[in-house]
Amino acid sequence: MTGDDVADTLAAMGPRLRVAREHRGSTLTGVSRATGISPSTLSRIETSRRKPTLEVVLQLAKEYGVSLDELAGTAPAAEPHTSALQRFGDDKAVLPLTRYVGGLHAHKHVLPAVQEPPARPRQVSHDGWEWLCVLYGRLWLALGDQELVLSAGDVAEFDTRNPHGVANAGPGGPVEYLIMFGPQGERLRPRTPPAPGLRAQ
């Protein structure tokens, strides 16, 4: 690996570190308390404005429970479904659908059924853009001061700098939804054929 390759690999780790942190449900402040790395340094690393040192990478890999290969983008492609499934303390399951290479990436999330109406979802905010599509069940999306309940087939798209959080809108069955996320703020670009009689611009 050349010096340029090493520099590129370190620069690309920022978005992967952000994804790993968000999958753990951790905030920059919480990670800072656990590792001693300042929130501003963590933010600069996640937005690729600063390259992490090996010591920092090792600390964060341990904190997030991920391998160095995953952070470097050199991990082998996951076997289908079951081996890639990740579970979290709230019983949420996340299935990565793409490898984290610093651009748009996608995941399938499954929230378990709940017996009681949930509390308002805890909200987070960060740079980026998110596209969310509900596959099954009813999803509560708290977006800023808005309260949205999305059903199968509903889609939401939003700037993740707006505080946001989700929960099973229950009670009832589980909720399954897809997320596509652009860590640097990339947006999806809908492209549809022009209407009959109109010329594409």
Side-chain angles (χ1 to χ4, degrees), residues 16 21 23-24 28-29 39 42 61-62 67 69 77 81 87 113-114 116 124 131 135 145 169 172 185 188 190 199 201:
R16 298 185 191 116
R21 174 176 62 79
H23 277 180
R24 298 281 292 185
L28 290 174
T29 301
L42 292 168
K62 182 178 180 180
S67 70
D69 279 343
H81 303 319
R87 294 192 176 275
V114 294
E116 302 291 335
V124 297
W131 176 90
L135 302 176
D145 57 3
L188 299 182
R199 298 174 64 183
Q201 299 297 314

Side-chain angles (χ1 to χ4, degrees), residues 12 17 40 50 52 68 79 89 102 107 114 123 174 178-179 198:
L17 286 166
S40 61
R50 177 171 177 169
L68 293 180
E79 294 298 320
H107 313 87
V114 294
Q123 293 184 304
L178 296 178
I179 282 182
L198 296 178

Side-chain angles (χ1 to χ4, degrees), residues 52-192:
T53 64
L54 178 58
E55 180 182 358
V56 166
V57 170
L58 290 172
Q59 279 184 281
L60 294 178
K62 182 178 180 180
E63 176 68 17
Y64 300 150
V66 297
S67 70
L68 293 180
D69 279 343
E70 288 177 278
L71 294 178
T74 57
E79 294 298 320
H81 303 319
T82 54
S83 62
L85 194 66
Q86 303 171 21
R87 294 192 176 275
F88 298 89
D90 56 1
D91 291 330
K92 176 175 70 174
V94 177
L95 176 66
L97 301 178
T98 54
R99 296 178 67 181
Y100 308 134
V101 294
L104 287 168
H105 47 263
H107 313 87
K108 179 180 178 181
H109 292 227
V110 181
L111 297 177
V114 294
Q115 300 303 315
E116 302 291 335
R120 192 173 197 270
R122 180 178 66 87
Q123 293 184 304
V124 297
S125 60
H126 48 85
D127 290 338
W129 198 269
E130 188 167 301
W131 176 90
L132 181 155
C133 177
V134 178
L135 302 176
Y136 177 85
R138 298 170 68 247
L139 182 72
W140 181 2
L141 172 62
L143 185 59
D145 57 3
Q146 299 181 66
E147 306 286 344
L148 305 171
V149 176
L150 308 177
S151 300
D154 288 341
V155 174
E157 182 183 12
F158 53 91
D159 186 331
T160 53
R161 289 174 298 184
N162 294 327
H164 57 281
V166 297
N168 188 331
V175 181
E176 298 184 13
Y177 58 102
L178 296 178
I179 282 182
M180 288 189 68
F181 174 69
Q184 300 300 329
E186 297 93 336
R187 296 184 61 174
L188 299 182
R189 296 181 295 277
R191 296 186 182 275
T192 55

